[in-house]
Amino acid sequence: MNPTSIATVSLSGDLTEKLQAIAAAGFDAVEVFENDFLTFDGSPRDVGKMIADLGLTISAFQPFRDFEGMPEPLRARTFARAERKFAIMNELGAELMLICSNVSPQSLGGIDRAATDLRELGELAAKFGVRVGFEALAWGRHVNDYRDAWEIVRRADHARIGLILDSFHTLARKSPVEPIASIPGDRIFLVQLADAPKLDMDVLSWSRHFRCFPGQGDLAVADFVKAVEATGYSGPLSHEIFNDQFRAGSARRLATDGMRSLIALADQTAPHLPPRAHVEGVEFLEFALDEDTAADLAALFKALGFQQTGTHRSKMVTRWSQGGINLVLNTEKDGFAQSHAIMHGPGVCAICLRVDDVEQTMARARDLKITAFEQPVGPGEMHIPAIRGVGGSLIYFTQATGELAHIWEKDFVARPDAAAPAPALLQSVDHISQSMDYEEMLSWLLFYTSLFHLERIPQTAIADPAGLVESRPIVSADGSLRFVLNGSQATRTLSSRFVSEHFGSGVQHIAFSAPDIFAAVTAMRAAGLSFLDIPENYYEDLEARHGLDPDFIDALRDHHILYDRDGEAEFLQVYTHVFAQRFFFEIVERRGGYAGFGAVNAAVRLASQAREARPVTVPRPLRES
C-alpha cells in the first residue's frame, strides 16, 4: 500500500486539532493547506516541529495559484511570490509545493509558454532544494485536463518539476483514465483522491462543496487508482476534500473515515483484506429498557403477534419470536445494555447479523479500524463477537455453522409454557432505519459498505413538516439486509429530534415483512393494537393517481395502509404509534419484486406522526356574560 496522506483542508478544527486527528488515525503524511498555516499562531518551524513530533511528514504545501502564463509585470510578481513560499517551505520542512493551473482572466495560453515558466521555476526551486507539482484544475482557464498538464511538465523537462494527479479533476470532466498508465511513475509527484456524488451542477461548485472520501460517492475512483498503479508510482495517496458536511463534523471521526476509505480502496484495486461479509439475515434485535417500560413493550410485542419463547440462563433478558424474527428485551441492572438505556433512553442497543464467516468479518473490521467490543461473559455463556455501531450501539455476529449457530440453546432456556406457534403474521426484518446527525451520514455509509456486501440506493430528500430529511438506503443484493440512513440539517424534524432528545444516533424504526398485511393488521387490531392515522385526502389522491379498484382503496383506508407501485410491483405499509416517544414499527408487504421503501408516502407518514406528537389543547368554555 502506498504511503497515506490527507490535506488539512479536509477536516474541521484549527491546525493543531487537525494534525492530532490525522496522526491518531494512522496517516503517514499531511498536505498543509496554506490557510491553515496562515491562521496558526506560531512560526513555520513551530508547525514543522509539531508535525514531526506527531510522527508525520509533509507530503505537500499547497496551493500556489495563478502562476503559469502571466504577462509582465505580473509574471515577475509570481516568481517573487514563489521564492517567498519556498523559503517558508524550508522552515516548515516541506519538500513539495502544489501549483494548480491558472484561472486568472489575465493569464495567457500556450503549452510552450507554461512549460517555459515551469522550467524557470524549477531552477528557482533547485536553489531551495524543493520540488514543484503541477495540477490541472477542472475549471482552469487554459489547462483543465491532466493530459495537457502532463505535456507541459514533459516539455518543461526539469527534475524539480512533476505532475500532480487528482481523481476529482479527472473524473468530474469524464477524462479517460487509461492514458495515465503511460506516464512515468517517477514524474508523478503526488496523487490526490476525492470522490463525489453525481450532481448536475457547475464543476467548481461541485468541487467546493460536495467532494467526499472514496467509497462515499459515485465516481470511479478505483479505476483511476488502478491506472496510477500501472505507472509504477510509489508516492503518497492523499485525500483532498472540500465538503460542507466535513467542515461541521468531528475531525477525529473524519480522519478515521479517511484512513478507512484508503484501506478499502486499496483492497478494491489489489484485494488483500478478508472479503466483505455476506449477510444472511438479522439474527436478533436487542432492546435495552427498564422493567416498567419493558412490560409495555412486551405488551406491544404480543399485539404484533410475538411470543415469549425463552429466558436467558443468567440475565434479566427475554426472547420474543415470530416467523424468522427474534427480539430480545434486556432489563439487566448492569452491563452495556443498562449503560445504553441510561444514555439514550429505551430503544435498540444492539443488532445481531448472521454472516457467512464471523472470524473473517471480525478480521476485516479490525483491518478497517472498526472498534471491536468486549465485555465479561458469565459462566456457561457464549461469547458473541461484536463491533461498535451507530450511536455507540453494538453489532453482534453469528453464523449458520459452528458454535455460534446455537446461541439460543446455549444462552436461553425455552419457555415450557410457550404455546404452539400460530401461523406467523410477520416473517422477517425487512429493514432497519437509523437516524443520525446529518454530518455523520457519509461516515456510516462508508462503515457499512466497506464491511458488508451492500449496494447504495440514491439518496432521497423527504419532506417533514419541520424541514427536509435526507434518506439513504443501502441493501444487500438478495434483500437479506436493508438499512436506511436518515439525517436532517433542520433541527425540528422527527429525525433530528430523535437524535437531539435522546443523546445520539440510533434505530428509530424497524420494518417487519408480512405475507398478508391485511390479515396481519386485522389480527393485531383484535389484540388491541391501533395504527397511525392517515388523512382521508391521501386515499382520495391515491385513487386518482393509480386508478385502483374502489374496494381495494376502501380496504387500504380501513386498515390505515399506505400504498406505492413501481410498474407491476406493489408495496403496502402501515405504522404503529411511536413507543415511549422514541421508536416505532412498520409492517410491509412487498408484491412482485418491489425493491423500494415507499418514499412517496414518507411525507404523509411524517406529517401524521407530527400531528400525533403535537400537544392536545382543550378549548375553554366561553364565560357567560
Side-chain angles (χ1 to χ4, degrees):
M1 184 170 171
N2 293 70
T4 58
S5 173
I6 187 169
T8 57
V9 72
S10 306
L11 305 180
S12 62
D14 61 28
L15 182 58
T16 301
E17 292 171 317
K18 294 180 180 193
L19 292 174
Q20 289 173 346
I22 290 166
F27 282 93
D28 301 307
V30 58
E31 294 182 53
V32 178
F33 197 69
E34 187 173 46
N35 281 3
D36 289 318
F37 166 73
L38 294 177
T39 57
F40 180 76
D41 186 19
S43 70
R45 291 188 187 278
D46 292 336
V47 175
K49 183 177 186 306
M50 179 167 54
I51 290 171
D53 288 347
L54 288 167
L56 299 167
T57 60
I58 300 175
S59 55
F61 183 58
Q62 64 117 328
F64 191 79
R65 303 184 188 278
D66 296 336
F67 169 74
E68 85 285 358
M70 297 300 282
E72 294 291 3
L74 296 177
R75 184 177 188 273
R77 292 178 193 167
T78 62
F79 277 88
R81 280 196 298 125
E83 187 169 9
R84 288 195 296 272
K85 298 300 180 188
F86 291 158
I88 290 172
M89 288 170 62
N90 282 170
E91 291 189 64
L92 269 174
E95 189 264 341
L96 176 66
M97 181 170 75
L98 179 152
I99 292 183
C100 46
S101 59
N102 209 321
V103 299
S104 170
Q106 297 171 294
S107 64
L108 305 173
I111 285 180
D112 284 332
R113 186 193 310 274
T116 298
D117 288 345
L118 283 173
R119 187 182 308 114
E120 187 174 331
L121 186 64
E123 289 297 307
L124 182 60
K127 295 178 182 178
F128 289 86
V130 299
R131 297 182 303 156
V132 174
F134 184 55
E135 172 190 58
L137 292 179
W139 54 91
R141 181 170 175 81
H142 302 291
V143 180
N144 52 34
D145 188 302
Y146 76 87
R147 290 168 291 186
D148 290 333
W150 163 236
E151 182 58 20
I152 290 169
V153 168
R154 190 185 70 79
R155 293 190 193 185
D157 192 24
H158 197 288
R160 297 282 173 171
I161 302 297
L163 180 67
I164 291 181
L165 292 171
D166 183 298
S167 63
F168 179 84
H169 293 303
T170 301
L171 300 171
R173 286 182 49 82
K174 300 182 180 178
S175 299
V177 299
E178 292 79 10
I180 291 174
S182 64
I183 300 172
D186 62 349
R187 305 304 300 138
I188 302 172
F189 284 1
L190 184 65
V191 173
Q192 295 178 317
L193 300 178
D195 203 340
K198 289 184 179 177
L199 299 171
D200 185 15
M201 65 192 311
D202 70 277
V203 70
L204 177 57
S205 299
W206 190 17
S207 173
R208 285 287 177 259
H209 302 285
F210 295 100
R211 292 196 193 196
C212 53
F213 292 128
Q216 294 177 329
D218 302 314
L219 302 182
V221 182
D223 292 341
F224 171 87
V225 172
K226 287 177 183 177
V228 169
E229 288 175 346
T231 69
Y233 171 76
S234 59
L237 296 178
S238 186
H239 290 305
E240 187 192 41
I241 312 295
F242 302 90
N243 186 296
D244 296 341
Q245 285 176 252
F246 285 27
R247 294 184 183 101
S250 157
R252 291 261 175 165
R253 173 174 55 80
L254 289 167
T256 300
D257 287 349
M259 179 55 67
R260 182 171 298 147
S261 168
L262 287 176
I263 294 168
L265 181 63
D267 189 53
Q268 277 185 270
T269 58
H272 62 284
L273 303 182
R276 285 190 297 164
H278 288 278
V279 178
E280 297 169 354
V282 178
E283 185 75 60
F284 64 80
L285 294 160
E286 182 176 359
F287 295 78
L289 9 69
D290 60 37
E291 291 184 44
D292 291 338
T293 313
D296 294 337
L297 187 56
L300 175 55
F301 285 173
K302 288 179 183 177
L304 287 167
F306 288 91
Q307 278 196 81
Q308 184 180 342
T309 53
T311 303
H312 197 276
R313 295 184 183 276
S314 61
K315 296 178 180 177
M316 296 175 65
V317 177
T318 55
R319 174 193 181 191
W320 296 75
S321 306
Q322 178 178 190
I325 309 166
N326 290 293
L327 307 178
V328 171
L329 293 189
N330 190 326
T331 57
E332 272 288 290
K333 304 299 184 187
D334 299 304
F336 170 79
Q338 173 68 0
S339 300
H340 192 276
I342 291 171
M343 176 63 72
H344 299 280
V348 174
C349 66
I351 299 166
C352 183
L353 302 177
R354 191 165 53 255
V355 296
D356 54 341
D357 190 312
V358 171
E359 186 176 344
Q360 284 191 347
T361 302
M362 290 298 293
R364 184 176 179 89
R366 285 192 298 272
D367 289 342
L368 290 169
K369 297 186 177 294
I370 293 172
T371 304
F373 173 79
E374 297 286 346
Q375 68 178 347
V377 175
E381 289 180 27
M382 182 175 291
H383 173 260
I384 307 176
I387 58 174
R388 292 281 187 177
V390 171
S393 63
L394 302 181
I395 301 177
Y396 289 107
F397 298 113
T398 63
Q399 63 188 45
T401 58
E403 186 181 20
L404 287 169
H406 303 286
I407 60 168
W408 302 115
E409 305 97 296
K410 181 84 172 176
D411 281 3
F412 285 78
V413 177
R415 277 184 61 118
D417 58 341
L425 302 175
L426 307 175
Q427 290 179 319
S428 62
V429 175
D430 184 87
H431 62 271
I432 300 167
S433 180
Q434 295 179 311
S435 288
M436 57 198 60
D437 284 324
Y438 178 73
E439 292 77 20
E440 291 183 45
M441 289 184 68
L442 288 174
S443 295
W444 292 110
L445 175 69
L446 177 63
F447 172 93
Y448 283 125
T449 56
S450 62
L451 183 58
F452 304 116
H453 273 285
L454 294 172
E455 299 170 2
R456 296 174 298 172
I457 294 176
Q459 190 161 303
T460 303
I462 295 168
D464 181 289
L468 288 180
V469 176
E470 297 293 335
S471 185
R472 186 66 183 262
I474 45 177
V475 304
S476 60
D478 62 357
S480 59
L481 180 65
R482 300 181 181 94
F483 283 112
V484 180
L485 312 183
N486 296 314
S488 177
Q489 291 179 295
T491 60
R492 296 305 299 164
T493 61
L494 185 68
S495 176
S496 292
R497 286 188 285 113
F498 173 89
V499 174
S500 63
E501 294 171 6
H502 299 281
F503 304 102
S505 310
V507 174
Q508 189 169 21
H509 96 256
I510 301 158
F512 300 123
S513 67
D516 183 339
I517 195 169
F518 292 102
V521 170
T522 298
M524 292 168 188
R525 277 178 162 173
L529 189 62
S530 63
F531 293 90
L532 184 68
D533 287 324
I534 305 299
E536 174 63 27
N537 291 336
Y538 169 80
Y539 294 102
E540 295 292 337
D541 177 67
L542 194 63
E543 186 171 12
R545 279 192 294 122
H546 291 295
L548 299 171
D549 182 85
D551 290 341
F552 184 58
I553 291 286
D554 288 342
L556 293 173
R557 180 189 293 109
D558 292 344
H559 291 78
H560 295 209
I561 293 172
L562 298 133
Y563 176 88
D564 188 30
R565 187 166 69 196
D566 183 7
E568 296 302 311
E570 298 176 298
F571 187 63
L572 293 85
Q573 54 189 154
V574 66
Y575 294 91
T576 68
H577 302 290
V578 176
F579 179 83
Q581 299 182 328
R582 176 66 174 157
F583 58 88
F584 56 95
F585 298 100
E586 177 185 5
I587 299 159
V588 307
E589 182 184 346
R590 297 177 182 271
R591 297 177 176 179
Y594 182 97
F597 297 86
V600 69
N601 295 323
V604 176
R605 184 260 297 176
L606 286 165
S608 298
Q609 288 175 321
R611 277 192 299 274
E612 285 199 348
R614 210 171 288 147
V616 177
T617 57
V618 180
R620 295 180 180 178
L622 293 174
R623 185 177 298 172
E624 294 183 5
S625 57

